Amino acid sequence: MRTGRPIPKLFLSEQEQEMLQRWTRRAKTSQALAQRARIILECSEGRTNSQAALELRLTPQTIGKWRRRFLQKRLDGLLDEPRPGTPLRLSDKEVERVLVLTLESTPKNATHWSTRSMAEACGLSRSSINRIWRAFALAPHRTETFKLSKDPLFVEKVRDIVGLYMAPPDKGLVLCVDEKTQIQALERSQPVLPMRPGQLERRSHDYTRHGITSLFAALDAKTGKIIGEIHRRHRSTEFRKFLDTIDASVPESLDVHLILDNYGTHKSPMIQRWMVKRPRFHLHFTPTGASWINLVERWFALITEKQIRRGIFRSTKELETSIRNYIQSYNDYSKPFVWTKTADEIFASVARFCQRTSETGH
């Protein structure tokens, strides 16, 4: 026989269900709010407080508290209540003025607003400007880059490549291929001062260049392993040698799907003749101006950050040895880069960029 007070049933609308799931997935949502959202989602599946507590490793009292809050105030009940303290002194008009100036104008003597210039223009304190900008996620001092591809086959190429990432062929190997060219062997003009408590590592801004080299790399999209080769020049001849290395490294029973950009060395007559003789190789070209879709670019960023940018190389040979050692070490503990965005989500993002571009009058 059931004892204790009856637990009221909890039902969610579609909008509430979507919002709660979004709170649990968002990277910037506070952990407390994400936990409350998970509690309500568990309760909406008909679980008791004890069952939900066991599933989420919480106490039944905590589950009951947020169940009651949600039943009384719905989604608003999961948010933090206003805390005691000094009331806000900024009026809505002052906040609106700061937002309008930030979004629709620039100062006369600069390309963007700073807290000092905005505070002077609005007659507010710098801390007030900072709080307003943080509340509305505005950062005038920061900027990002983007590029919209003008490839007439953009849609077809994106669907083709994303399809290989998310549903690779059963009897095929997907390799993301590209070259990192003009890697410089740099030696700082003075010795590096190592890090110590209270002081960052320091290095001179000028350097001596001892030559350049190029890295040819193929990333296995399934395992994350790298097939790498280094050449001093970047021509069709070197690319053909790298294709020979790939051909020798991949079992003959597998088809090879190469994802690569539209660089001229990838489409030269020499490479076309090489491909005709090896029908198991299939080329998938990225859209023009959309190299971000090639996963090997992410690995290039990784090796640049961890091995090249802060390295000290007194010769090209020393640089090449360092790169080879990194590839060997990386392959010992390699993990694949997981592609999560569908082609339709990419197109929706591109559509939003196009809309914003058209709104600016370009």
Side-chain angles (χ1 to χ4, degrees), residues 334-348:
S334 63
K335 292 183 180 179
F337 297 106
V338 180
W339 189 276
T340 59
K341 210 166 191 178
T342 65
D344 290 335
E345 290 174 335
I346 293 174
F347 299 146

Side-chain angles (χ1 to χ4, degrees), residues 102-299:
T102 305
L103 296 174
E104 299 181 6
S105 68
T106 56
K108 294 181 180 180
N109 59 347
T111 58
H112 58 277
W113 291 102
S114 66
T115 54
R116 288 182 176 84
S117 59
M118 182 60 73
E120 183 178 352
C122 296
L124 301 175
S125 66
R126 289 165 50 193
S127 59
S128 297
I129 300 299
N130 188 43
R131 285 197 298 270
I132 294 173
W133 282 352
R134 290 183 63 184
F136 289 88
L138 295 174
H141 64 289
R142 298 184 60 187
T143 181
E144 293 181 347
T145 60
F146 80 97
K147 180 178 177 64
L148 295 175
S149 174
K150 298 181 180 180
D151 196 316
L153 298 177
F154 176 77
V155 173
E156 292 81 357
K157 290 181 177 179
V158 169
R159 289 197 182 280
D160 177 35
I161 294 174
V162 172
L164 288 175
Y165 290 155
M166 307 192 77
D170 294 333
K171 296 183 179 181
L173 186 67
V174 179
L175 295 177
C176 305
V177 177
D178 203 359
E179 304 88 19
K180 184 174 180 61
T181 61
Q182 303 290 315
I183 306 176
Q184 303 181 79
L186 302 181
E187 179 186 8
R188 297 295 161 178
S189 61
Q190 297 177 8
V192 174
L193 298 180
M195 176 181 60
R196 62 183 182 181
Q199 190 175 84
L200 301 177
E201 177 185 278
R202 294 186 292 178
R203 55 183 59 212
S204 61
H205 68 278
D206 54 342
Y207 54 81
T208 301
R209 189 173 70 170
H210 296 289
I212 60 174
T213 192
S214 295
L215 169 61
F216 291 68
L219 171 71
D220 186 340
K222 184 176 182 180
T223 65
K225 291 188 179 298
I226 292 290
I227 301 173
E229 200 167 86
I230 295 175
H231 294 283
R232 297 291 175 90
R233 303 185 68 178
H234 181 210
R235 304 170 301 174
S236 297
T237 303
E238 285 74 29
F239 184 62
R240 187 191 62 185
K241 293 178 181 178
F242 183 54
L243 289 177
D244 290 335
T245 300
I246 294 176
D247 191 22
S249 303
V250 179
E252 296 182 359
S253 59
L254 295 178
D255 286 346
V256 183
H257 297 265
L258 300 182
I259 298 173
L260 63 171
D261 60 24
N262 297 273
Y263 194 68
T265 57
H266 302 158
K267 299 180 177 181
S268 66
M270 177 190 299
I271 301 302
Q272 293 178 6
R273 291 192 297 269
W274 190 94
M275 289 293 173
V276 169
K277 298 176 182 178
R278 295 162 180 83
R280 72 174 182 139
F281 276 76
H282 309 276
L283 301 184
H284 305 265
F285 290 102
T286 62
T288 305
S291 59
W292 47 264
I293 203 171
N294 195 335
L295 279 179
V296 75
E297 297 291 347
R298 180 64 189 88
W299 184 82

